[in-house]
Amino acid sequence: MANFEDLYREIILDHYRSPRNRGELTTPPAVLVEGFNPLCGDEIALYLDVDDGALVNIKMMGHGCSISQASASLMGAAVKGRPIATVRDTIETFKQLMTEHEATIEHDGRPAQVDLRALGELAALQGVVKFPVRIKCAMLAWNTLTQGLDQVAA
Ligand code: ZN
């Protein structure tokens, strides 16, 4: 177990250096939604292609700290091609992961109440809860995605 933390750091760095789903979607009916985290200067732009109740494609542009950009990349990989209901479930689960308080983190560093297996690589971001100022960085892409989905549904 020594090396959950190392493994997680590797995953975050990998997504930061080689962000997945980078780019833009220009063909309608892609939705463009942008988010900004003034505390850190992180920016994200998401292009969402929603069709027949599924997020058929997602592309993103942005810049900022490693946590914000890695979180966006991990998010894209987790939600692309999924039904909207599943995407919203994943957003909820991730939010839970980010709102666990330190008191609930077990001795091995894992939050007690979130099913990490369901999160896959997203679990790599769990360490962020220990640094409250970075939670907004990690949540930026997710909050932006929620806005985008609400826009599509409206
Ligand atoms: Zn940041």
Side-chain angles (χ1 to χ4, degrees):
M1 75 176 204
N3 287 309
F4 264 119
E5 287 200 13
D6 288 347
L7 171 66
Y8 287 157
R9 195 173 302 123
E10 271 312 302
I11 292 172
I12 290 170
L13 282 176
D14 177 49
H15 277 265
Y16 178 57
R17 291 180 183 139
S18 317
R20 318 299 197 262
N21 300 304
R22 195 88 178 162
E24 302 177 10
L25 294 174
T26 50
T27 321
V31 170
L32 167 63
V33 58
E34 292 172 288
F36 178 53
N37 170 19
L39 291 180
C40 185
D42 307 316
E43 290 181 17
I44 193 84
L46 299 179
Y47 297 82
L48 310 174
D49 192 352
V50 174
D51 190 31
D52 202 19
L55 181 57
V56 293
N57 203 358
I58 179 170
K59 291 276 188 191
M60 57 188 72
M61 298 295 286
H63 57 88
C65 70
S66 57
I67 296 293
S68 69
Q69 301 307 306
S71 184
S73 174
L74 282 157
M75 179 187 81
V79 301
K80 184 176 171 180
R82 300 299 174 96
I84 297 301
T86 307
V87 173
R88 288 197 186 272
D89 283 349
T90 305
I91 293 171
E92 272 317 301
T93 307
F94 187 76
K95 267 190 199 164
Q96 266 182 303
L97 182 71
M98 288 296 118
T99 52
E100 292 289 339
H101 296 295
E102 268 189 83
T104 65
I105 294 177
E106 292 172 332
H107 58 87
D108 59 357
R110 286 181 291 177
Q113 288 154 7
V114 176
D115 182 357
L116 292 176
R117 282 165 304 180
L119 285 171
E121 282 198 321
L122 292 173
L125 289 161
Q126 66 176 275
V128 171
V129 290
K130 287 185 258 178
F131 307 97
V133 71
R134 312 312 299 277
I135 293 174
K136 284 196 192 305
C137 301
M139 285 304 304
L140 176 65
W142 298 81
N143 290 334
T144 307
L145 177 59
T146 300
Q147 273 177 39
L149 293 180
D150 290 348
Q151 223 170 296
V152 175

